[in-house]
Amino acid sequence: MRLRWLKLLSLMVGLTVSAVFYGHYYTSLVRSLQPGADPKSTFKWLNESRHGTESDQERKNDKKAAVTSAKSNVKLHTDPVCPTSLRFHVQNDSYFRNLFKFDVPVLMWDSHLTEDTKKNLKQRPVPYGWKDLPPEDVASTLQLLNDSANQILFDWQPPKGCVRCAVVGNGGILNGSRKGKEIDEHDYVFRLNGAVIKGFEEDVGTKTSFYGFTVNTMKNSLIAYYEYGYTETPKGQGLRYIFIPSDLRDYVMLRSGILGVPVPSGSDQGDKPSAYYGPEVTPKKFKLLHPEFLMYLRDRFLKSEILKTEYANLYMPSTGGLMLLTALHTCDQVDAYGFITNNFHQFSDHYFETKKKELEFYANHDMILEMQLWRQLHQKKIMTLYQR
């Protein structure tokens, strides 16, 4: 009888301990997911709990599923989880939580050339549609984007842990900033348009991982900033080129770049891609932003009043704005340098100008709207905006 009572008592103690442990687990898990929770403790608890209970096969399945997700949504790393990801700050903010949609595909490649996609984009005019564009030119370009590197932004040696990105604009605020070393310490550095480096290394760094552009902004930069030393686009074996499709010439140039042949037609006819992208041109070097992603960025983040004016068909966010928002949808930590700030009138239009030039405002961009967005994102700690 005494033995039976001892067994019963042991069973009751075990159940009580289990209940307490489960209650602690549940409470901690719920608390960790509440807005305002410490991201580091949240990820630490979730990671320890999952790896303590999952089998090896379950973890392999999780990793396989995550890799599949990475290819479709440009999610860049799965292990370890980044405890300081900007996504935590997004989820903890009521405004930006409803604005960001991280499941929108960032890049476009051959598998996106479906009938539904063609039907939708053919109804929309440029810059973010295919209306009036020769379908054979668009299709022949997308069919060449069939390398796995075209599907993932960081296709070479992704860093372990948090992905830290610097996006370097060309604003005059960088002149004398001495931020070059800090910029180069990031895992990836995005540059755009007239990315002058020579002579400004201490201010803007030397590292370039991505160069973003439309063919129009790329070629105009080579002309407009030639006198400041911008004589060629960034080049390098590990450098990747991000095409922003805004017109037919972007698709035609991209196709020629992948094939390594001169541009066959249009305003860029005869251009040799090697002049812009280096002699060792391979399909791996090129990324194409998805038109739906660009439309999403415009309509959710930078929906300007210009769209209600006679210049509506000209409006699009700036190249710098699109590169910064691309980084915010793919990196864990984003630092923005050389972007417009409240005191923009104190600085020259560009950092490489020898004499101060006032920032010019054009009808095709809304720089004030962009300035307001960058300030908000900085205040919410979703990114860090360099200011002085």
Side-chain angles (χ1 to χ4, degrees), residues 17-276:
V17 171
S18 298
V20 170
F21 176 79
Y22 180 79
H24 173 70
Y25 169 85
Y26 181 80
T27 302
S28 301
L29 183 60
V30 171
R31 184 172 61 246
S32 70
L33 296 176
Q34 296 301 313
D38 178 25
K40 292 184 179 179
S41 62
T42 300
F43 271 124
K44 184 174 184 292
W45 178 260
L46 291 176
N47 256 349
E48 288 177 350
S49 301
R50 185 172 61 190
H51 289 294
T53 58
E54 283 184 340
S55 66
D56 290 340
Q57 185 59 46
E58 286 174 327
R59 286 196 290 273
K60 289 179 181 178
N61 291 340
D62 282 349
K63 184 173 289 188
K64 184 178 180 181
V67 170
T68 302
S69 174
K71 291 186 176 181
S72 60
N73 296 321
V74 200
K75 187 175 181 180
L76 305 174
H77 65 93
T78 59
D79 190 23
V81 179
C82 176
T84 55
S85 174
L86 63 87
R87 299 191 182 200
F88 255 100
H89 296 292
V90 169
Q91 291 304 314
N92 287 337
D93 184 81
S94 59
Y95 175 71
F96 283 111
R97 180 169 63 239
N98 293 321
L99 209 60
F100 276 84
K101 290 180 64 179
F102 290 107
D103 59 342
V104 175
V106 175
L107 300 179
M108 191 175 210
W109 58 88
D110 64 330
S111 65
H112 289 139
L113 194 62
T114 64
E115 290 303 318
D116 286 342
T117 299
K118 288 190 286 187
K119 181 180 178 180
N120 291 336
L121 292 177
K122 282 180 180 178
Q123 296 174 356
R124 187 190 305 157
V126 295
Y128 305 138
W130 295 346
K131 187 176 181 180
D132 299 326
L133 296 185
E136 61 276 8
D137 284 319
V138 175
S140 60
T141 299
L142 290 179
Q143 287 165 358
L144 294 172
L145 293 171
N146 52 23
D147 192 284
S148 60
N150 305 135
Q151 305 172 17
I152 303 174
L153 200 62
F154 306 146
D155 62 277
W156 75 104
Q157 297 181 340
K160 295 180 180 179
C162 301
V163 178
R164 298 178 61 249
C165 298
V167 186
V168 185
N170 301 322
I173 192 173
L174 279 175
N175 191 302
S177 66
R178 299 297 185 265
K179 287 293 176 178
K181 184 174 182 294
E182 181 179 306
I183 289 171
D184 286 344
E185 287 173 349
H186 289 76
D187 296 313
Y188 299 98
V189 178
F190 293 70
R191 300 186 192 271
L192 51 116
N193 295 345
V196 179
I197 291 180
K198 188 175 181 180
F200 298 91
E201 294 87 350
E202 288 189 2
D203 292 335
V204 303
T206 60
K207 183 176 181 177
T208 305
S209 310
F210 298 100
Y211 176 66
F213 59 94
T214 68
V215 172
N216 184 59
T217 62
M218 178 188 74
K219 299 191 75 172
N220 283 347
S221 295
L222 288 168
I223 296 171
Y225 309 129
Y226 184 86
E227 63 177 298
Y228 302 109
Y230 191 66
T231 58
E232 62 176 359
T233 53
K235 297 180 178 66
Q237 186 174 1
L239 194 149
R240 301 295 190 257
Y241 299 96
I242 301 178
F243 274 74
I244 303 172
S246 64
D247 206 345
L248 176 62
R249 65 193 303 199
D250 296 297
Y251 292 97
V252 174
M253 178 67 78
L254 176 55
R255 182 180 63 199
S256 295
I258 295 172
L259 295 174
V261 300
V263 177
S265 60
S267 57
D268 306 305
Q269 184 174 3
D271 279 8
K272 295 181 179 179
S274 59
Y276 306 120

Side-chain angles (χ1 to χ4, degrees), residues 309-360:
T309 71
E310 59 185 303
Y311 303 107
N313 63 325
L314 298 176
Y315 174 71
M316 60 188 297
S318 69
T319 305
L322 293 174
M323 284 298 96
L324 182 47
L325 285 166
T326 296
L328 286 166
H329 282 76
T330 52
C331 306
D332 290 309
Q333 299 171 15
V334 175
D335 298 316
Y337 303 85
F339 284 80
I340 185 171
T341 55
N342 288 347
N343 58 341
F344 66 86
H345 58 278
Q346 297 180 15
F347 310 104
S348 189
D349 193 354
H350 303 97
Y351 64 81
F352 45 76
E353 289 158 344
T354 54
K355 293 183 179 180
K356 183 180 178 181
K357 291 185 178 182
E358 295 295 327
L359 175 62
E360 295 186 59

Side-chain angles (χ1 to χ4, degrees), residues 303-316 362-367 369:
K303 194 168 186 178
S304 173
E305 291 296 314
I306 296 174
L307 292 168
K308 300 178 182 178
T309 71
E310 59 185 303
Y311 303 107
N313 63 325
L314 298 176
Y315 174 71
M316 60 188 297
Y362 299 96
N364 63 328
H365 298 320
D366 191 336
M367 299 308 296
L369 181 60

Side-chain angles (χ1 to χ4, degrees), residues 278-303:
E280 298 179 3
V281 179
T282 68
K284 294 180 182 293
K285 277 186 170 289
F286 302 107
K287 320 288 182 181
L288 177 69
L289 293 185
H290 201 301
E292 293 291 355
F293 176 66
L294 295 170
M295 196 71 174
Y296 148 77
L297 294 182
R298 191 196 75 176
D299 288 352
R300 280 181 170 257
F301 293 88
L302 293 168
K303 194 168 186 178

